[in-house]
Amino acid sequence: MINEPVYNELIEKYKAHYGKAPEVVSYAPGRIEVLGNHTDYNEGYVFSAAINYGTFFAISRNDAGVNRIVAGDLMHEVTFPLTGATPVKEDTWANYVIGTVAGLNQIKQQNTGFDAMFLGNVPMGFGLSSSAALEMCTAKAVCQLYTITADNVTLAKVGQAAERDYAGCPCGLLDQISSLCGVEGMLVKTDFRSLDVETVDMGPSVCFLMCNPHAKHALVDGQYATRRQACEDAAAYFAKVLPHPVAALRDVTMAEWEANKDGLDPIVANRAAHPIGEDERVLLGAQLLEKGDLEGFGKLLFDSHESSRTMFENSCEELDNVVAVAKTVPGVLGARLSGGGFGGSAVVLVKTEAAESAAKAIAEQYKAKTNKDCEVSMIQPSIGASIVYTA
Ligand code: GLA
């Protein structure tokens, strides 16, 4: 089983805390975003992957009439009612669980309480969607325990609503879909209009590094929401000026952007250029992968970062430095920020044979350039969320 030591630790802690064994245990991984930044809520395309780090969630029914959830690393317990639970202000990690359970309650009312605990190894603060991993392992376990039938898109939407209503982030569906649909060794390519998911094999000759320069950014709260708003404003403008229907920026080409951008506020125009360009890069990237052109695919990652840096302005000095350093390291094919931006990590596509030396070189050269540390993790595209145990 993937991450078995974490599973074993959770089972031991669960038994010690609740004095019984769980009835169900689920697992859900974090994700990397490989290409296609801020395209999900613009109904566009993304290449992502579930990663080899994830979270386990152990659960059984109780007759206490309340739900109990314990964070297995902190060993803090939060109790919340079966219905009508509102977000908590302390132990805010619990909101991802509470929000997900609330969403599932709308599909099928759970009429007994549960005793649950989760434990994971998704590195925190790397932008690897530890929150989506928690939502999706919660969803899988609760569905299994209460025999709730829901497909992946429904579960992803439950997680998205938990982020929006219980954690305050108006995110798209990328993180949850990637966590649910991951396949070992595969990229996940999602069309966020049809919500069709395909897997794409990159072969064993390349893998990923995640580089976290620990960028501390004050005042970034709400940046995601303002970017999203700018995209929606731009889509409304293009819907007026283009001769064909525009429901989202997915419907606008770079050529149409170029020809019509002068009618937009210059900042809104730049924001719109990013997801429009990203969609084109994802589609081109799919063709390159089909031909086995990994070098060409890697270059698109560098282009993506450049577009983030200059047009969407969701990068930061630290991430720019990581990408600049990675560009000079032998074996590196591409690098870009991954996820929302404004901090977090850069994802690096690297030849497998050079991965270890490249990881070391990036950390060393980043230190030499900035006198600061950059933490580098090796990432393997891995399996998606599943039930790993039932009594
Ligand atoms: C975050 C959000 C996703 C997506 C990315 C940017 O990870 O949760 O929905 O918008 O940022 O691509």
Side-chain angles (χ1 to χ4, degrees):
M1 184 198 300
I2 192 166
N3 295 315
E4 200 164 347
V6 182
Y7 172 83
N8 291 336
E9 187 184 338
L10 173 64
I11 300 301
E12 267 178 42
K13 285 181 159 173
Y14 186 96
K15 285 183 184 160
H17 185 79
Y18 288 116
K20 60 182 176 182
E23 288 176 61
V24 170
V25 185
S26 64
Y27 170 79
R31 64 99 189 91
I32 50 172
E33 179 198 280
V34 176
L35 192 61
N37 185 244
H38 287 260
T39 50
D40 61 346
Y41 56 80
N42 290 303
E43 299 184 19
Y45 306 93
V46 186
F47 274 118
S48 63
I51 61 171
N52 49 314
Y53 298 97
T55 304
F56 291 96
F57 191 98
I59 191 167
S60 64
R61 260 173 279 236
N62 66 27
D63 50 18
V66 290
N67 294 324
R68 300 189 188 110
I69 176 69
V70 174
D73 53 346
L74 309 168
M75 291 308 288
H76 281 195
E77 183 177 290
V78 170
T79 301
F80 61 98
L82 263 54
T83 50
T86 50
V88 291
K89 301 219 166 58
E90 273 168 45
D91 283 318
T92 47
W93 50 264
N95 286 327
Y96 300 107
V97 175
I98 298 172
T100 301
V101 171
L104 294 174
N105 250 316
Q106 289 176 7
I107 300 172
K108 183 178 168 191
Q109 184 70 49
Q110 302 133 40
N111 42 23
T112 60
F114 63 68
D115 293 332
M117 184 185 288
F118 67 89
L119 190 65
N121 63 358
V122 184
M124 304 285 283
F126 269 68
L128 291 169
S129 291
S130 54
S131 63
L134 177 53
E135 291 147 22
M136 293 303 99
C137 67
T138 303
K140 282 276 176 192
V142 169
C143 285
Q144 178 74 26
L145 190 71
Y146 295 99
T147 354
I148 301 170
T149 312
D151 60 14
N152 281 341
V153 169
T154 306
L155 296 186
K157 286 183 175 169
V158 165
Q160 181 189 36
E163 294 272 355
R164 185 189 58 224
D165 302 336
Y166 286 76
C169 182
C171 67
L173 287 167
L174 167 66
D175 307 343
Q176 294 80 7
I177 289 279
S178 310
S179 178
L180 291 166
C181 301
V183 176
E184 194 177 341
M186 298 280 191
L187 292 183
V188 174
K189 179 173 172 259
T190 310
D191 175 335
F192 281 93
R193 171 161 286 164
S194 64
L195 295 173
D196 286 340
V197 176
E198 289 169 56
T199 51
V200 178
D201 193 355
M202 286 194 314
S205 67
V206 287
C207 65
F208 295 100
L209 304 174
M210 221 35 198
C211 305
N212 182 2
H214 298 285
K216 288 259 176 305
H217 277 250
L219 303 175
V220 295
D221 285 352
Q223 296 270 46
Y224 185 95
T226 57
R227 293 301 185 280
R228 186 171 176 156
Q229 189 59 53
C231 290
E232 282 162 12
D233 292 349
Y237 161 78
F238 284 113
K240 275 193 221 129
V241 299
L242 293 181
H244 58 79
V246 175
L249 286 180
R250 138 79 168 264
D251 300 312
V252 182
T253 64
M254 241 8 242
E256 287 168 336
W257 176 85
E258 191 62 58
N260 294 281
K261 69 176 177 353
D262 291 345
L264 275 168
D265 170 87
I267 289 183
V268 174
N270 284 354
R271 301 298 184 250
H274 181 58
I276 296 171
E278 286 290 273
D279 277 341
E280 297 194 355
R281 281 184 280 279
V282 173
L283 295 177
L284 175 59
Q287 289 171 15
L288 295 175
L289 286 182
E290 227 165 80
K291 287 192 253 162
D293 182 355
L294 292 162
E295 309 244 336
F297 186 75
K299 286 201 186 86
L300 295 173
L301 271 65
F302 285 126
D303 293 347
S304 167
H305 187 80
E306 200 48 23
S307 170
S308 269
R309 191 177 74 77
T310 57
M311 303 303 251
F312 213 61
E313 296 184 87
N314 63 332
S315 186
C316 59
E317 200 188 336
E318 292 88 340
L319 289 174
D320 293 344
N321 280 330
V322 177
V323 172
V325 161
K327 215 171 203 166
T328 67
V329 167
V332 168
L333 300 179
R336 63 188 281 279
L337 71 80
S338 176
F342 314 107
S345 304
V347 63
V348 175
L349 177 70
V350 64
K351 290 186 181 155
T352 308
E353 64 198 24
E356 246 169 73
S357 60
K360 207 160 153 260
I362 291 170
E364 279 170 10
Q365 291 180 30
Y366 185 83
K367 179 85 175 177
K369 184 168 180 163
T370 64
N371 204 26
K372 292 199 182 111
D373 291 321
C374 176
E375 215 180 316
V376 183
S377 300
M378 304 261 193
I379 300 289
Q380 300 290 349
S382 297
I383 55 160
S386 64
I387 297 296
V388 294
Y389 171 82
T390 49

